[in-house]
Amino acid sequence: MSFIQKALEVSEKAFEETEHTIEEWNTHRHGAKLFLKLGVAVYAEQRLGGSHGPVERILGALDGHAAEHGEVDLDHLHAAHEVLGDEFIKEHEVAAAPAES
């Protein structure tokens, strides 16, 4: 294999990896924006007398996003600790399955 062919192969691989990373980042960013919109819609509903319709629409969009891309990755455990507090998380934590010997 010539030097030029090898360089081209390495460049193509790097380009594909970069493209994949950008797609993952865009997917993550879209999920994060949906969560932000959900927070705004819930606040508007709870504190400003807004309707529940936007909350349901955004929840539907989040469900669709999760169905298309798998679990919504938003560092959900870290975010839950920040928003809900450690006590709430401990109350609702699922115990890990015991390891088989």
Side-chain angles (χ1 to χ4, degrees), residues 1-66:
M1 179 179 290
S2 75
F3 174 75
I4 303 263
Q5 287 174 324
K6 184 67 175 173
L8 181 60
E9 184 180 298
V10 169
S11 296
E12 287 174 350
K13 184 177 178 184
F15 177 77
E16 289 171 4
E17 289 175 4
T18 302
E19 191 174 43
H20 178 71
T21 301
I22 290 170
E23 288 173 10
E24 283 183 356
W25 185 80
N26 281 334
T27 299
H28 176 77
R29 191 178 83 195
H30 181 253
K33 284 183 176 182
L34 287 172
F35 275 112
L36 177 63
K37 289 178 181 182
L38 179 62
V40 170
V42 168
Y43 181 83
E45 177 188 17
Q46 296 291 316
R47 297 292 187 250
L48 304 176
S51 71
H52 187 66
V55 173
E56 284 301 319
R57 268 196 326 274
I58 296 167
L59 285 172
L62 276 167
D63 290 342
H65 182 79

